[in-house]
Amino acid sequence: MKLFEKYIVKNYLKNFFVIFIALDLFYVGVDLLTNYNNIPDSANLQLLYAIFQGMNAVNYVLPLSIVFGMVVTYFGMIKSNELICMYASSISKRSLVRPFFLTALLLTLGYIGLNCTEFAYAYEYSANLKKYNRISTSSEDLFLKHDNQYVYFKRLDPLKQVAYDVTIFEVESVDLTKIIRASVASFIQNHWVLENVSIIHKPHVSSLDDTGYRTESVETLKTMENFKPKIMDNVYQSEYALSIIDGIDALLFFETQGVNTHKIKATLFYQLFFPLFAPFLIVILYYKAPVMGRYFNMALIASSFAFITLVVWSGLFLLSRLAANGVIFAEIAILLPIILLFFTALHFYAKR
């Protein structure tokens, strides 16, 4: 890495983290003041709630901080005449924009990677603390379909991955063939392992010599492959707060079950593609920014850039909500605008 690139990256990261931490703390502070009467009385739970809300705030403030950090860094370089000196040293615009773009892209990819983990459920955990004074909640009376099975869970704890009082009805065409009951079921290695199982076999009797009704008991039974507890819980709640990995699993699973997956797809597209608007917008704003401040109103231009960033962010966020509600296809609402931003940024980069 060249000396001027190290300098730009260092100043950009410094401004990014200052803005990011300030916006994140502001979000958490406003939320605590708004929900003070609803959050738990325990100091430990209050601290956990604040941490989870801070993690949830990252979804909103990180893309904005990435762009705002570039704007502050760029105009700071103009004010101190560093930018014009770099141009005078025969450093091209492309060379100067690359450190901004690559740093922003790495920050964005890191954030997308976080959404592959339990980080994606931060809002759910904070909401559970506010409502139930605990991180996880149990869903009750779930009735779901899996292949040729209809599954009833009396109670499901998605965090512990344990279900209680499980009943599975196996059907062949429209005929009930088997009823499986278990007191406890645990999700282990992509399968549900039922314990203390009672199986009732309903025969298809065509003559007097056919085997009739019979029952059997087994200690354990493995069934329902890839039917993850988090998928089941979110289907029950009609919400799709899924991590990227769980979202991909849910999308692949429910497509085989003939279930409408537009909400899952919208959530996946939002987590995978929405944050990428920030690096592409940085390139566009960079090429539209002035080289020196002598002939321009720097405060007005910087404010305009901030306004443009907020408009783009809010517009994309609105489109993502419309996609989640099934009003617009996720490919059109989320993926298409990001592709347009990419080609616009590529046009400016290639043209100059």
Side-chain angles (χ1 to χ4, degrees):
M1 185 181 290
K2 297 179 180 178
L3 184 60
F4 75 90
E5 292 176 332
K6 291 182 180 179
Y7 177 79
I8 291 174
V9 170
K10 178 183 175 182
N11 282 277
Y12 176 47
L13 287 176
K14 180 182 69 174
N15 291 322
F16 162 76
F17 281 114
V18 169
I19 295 170
F20 172 73
I21 293 171
L23 289 177
D24 197 276
L25 292 177
F26 177 77
Y27 180 97
V28 175
V30 171
D31 185 85
L32 289 174
L33 290 173
T34 305
N35 298 290
Y36 182 76
N37 294 327
N38 299 322
I39 60 177
D41 294 329
S42 168
N44 291 336
L45 293 182
Q46 288 176 353
L47 181 59
L48 277 176
Y49 177 81
I51 291 173
F52 286 136
Q53 281 298 92
M55 294 167 64
N56 179 51
V58 174
N59 298 308
Y60 308 106
V61 304
L62 186 133
L64 294 175
S65 301
I66 288 174
V67 182
F68 290 162
M70 173 268 174
V71 172
V72 171
T73 305
Y74 185 88
F75 282 93
M77 291 171 66
I78 290 178
K79 185 178 180 180
S80 60
N81 293 320
E82 293 170 346
L83 188 66
I84 197 66
C85 290
M86 289 182 181
Y87 285 139
S89 303
S90 73
I91 301 174
S92 66
K93 271 200 168 187
R94 288 184 180 180
S95 299
L96 286 175
V97 76
R98 277 198 292 267
F100 286 114
F101 174 75
L102 293 177
T103 305
L105 185 62
L106 287 175
L107 291 171
T108 302
L109 293 177
Y111 165 69
I112 293 174
L114 280 177
N115 279 323
C116 295
T117 67
E118 292 294 313
F119 172 87
Y121 300 112
Y123 175 77
E124 180 184 342
Y125 295 155
S126 65
N128 290 339
L129 282 173
K130 186 166 62 174
K131 292 180 180 179
Y132 310 109
N133 289 348
R134 58 181 184 272
I135 293 176
S136 68
T137 58
S138 298
S139 301
E140 297 184 355
D141 296 325
L142 278 73
F143 190 71
L144 304 164
K145 181 181 181 298
H146 176 262
D147 294 335
N148 65 330
Q149 299 173 326
Y150 291 87
V151 187
Y152 172 76
F153 285 173
K154 179 64 179 176
R155 185 161 64 90
L156 170 68
D157 190 327
L159 192 62
K160 295 180 180 179
Q161 300 190 337
V162 176
Y164 304 93
D165 294 335
V166 181
T167 304
I168 302 174
F169 303 91
E170 286 194 8
V171 297
E172 187 175 312
S173 184
V174 293
D175 188 26
L176 178 66
T177 60
K178 189 185 296 183
I179 301 175
I180 303 171
R181 289 192 173 95
S183 57
V184 180
S186 303
F187 189 74
I188 302 173
Q189 295 181 349
N190 279 340
H191 287 83
W192 281 96
V193 179
L194 281 60
E195 301 176 12
N196 302 321
V197 185
S198 171
I199 306 175
I200 300 174
H201 297 270
K202 177 183 173 295
H204 179 70
V205 179
S206 58
S207 67
L208 293 175
D209 296 329
D210 290 339
T211 304
Y213 169 93
R214 65 186 179 89
T215 63
E216 65 172 313
S217 298
V218 296
E219 287 294 325
T220 60
L221 178 67
K222 185 182 291 186
T223 185
M224 294 186 293
E225 184 180 5
N226 293 326
F227 204 9
K228 293 187 175 181
K230 204 64 194 175
I231 296 175
M232 303 168 71
D233 183 53
N234 279 274
V235 170
Y236 168 74
Q237 297 179 18
S238 297
E239 297 176 0
Y240 291 91
L242 294 168
S243 68
I244 291 175
I245 294 175
D246 288 344
I248 293 173
D249 290 339
L251 188 64
L252 296 175
F253 175 81
F254 284 121
E255 281 186 345
T256 63
Q257 303 296 315
V259 177
N260 190 328
T261 58
H262 68 267
K263 287 187 178 180
I264 302 176
K265 188 180 293 185
T267 300
L268 270 178
F269 277 35
Y270 177 80
Q271 292 175 324
L272 285 170
F273 302 116
F274 177 86
L276 292 172
F277 88 88
F280 300 148
L281 186 60
I282 278 178
V283 176
I284 297 170
L285 293 179
Y286 176 87
Y287 280 105
K288 286 296 181 181
V291 176
M292 61 178 66
R294 180 174 299 177
Y295 307 109
F296 301 93
N297 187 334
M298 291 293 101
L300 179 61
I301 296 175
S303 300
S304 301
F305 281 9
F307 177 75
I308 291 170
T309 303
L310 291 172
V311 168
V312 173
W313 174 82
S314 59
L316 291 173
F317 184 81
L318 175 61
L319 288 172
S320 70
R321 295 304 92 193
L322 292 175
N325 292 324
V327 178
I328 309 176
F329 289 115
E331 293 86 349
I332 297 175
I334 302 173
L335 186 58
L336 181 60
I338 299 300
I339 292 175
L340 291 175
L341 281 173
F342 167 73
F343 280 109
T344 304
L346 185 63
H347 167 74
F348 279 111
Y349 183 79
K351 183 180 179 181
R352 304 302 176 90

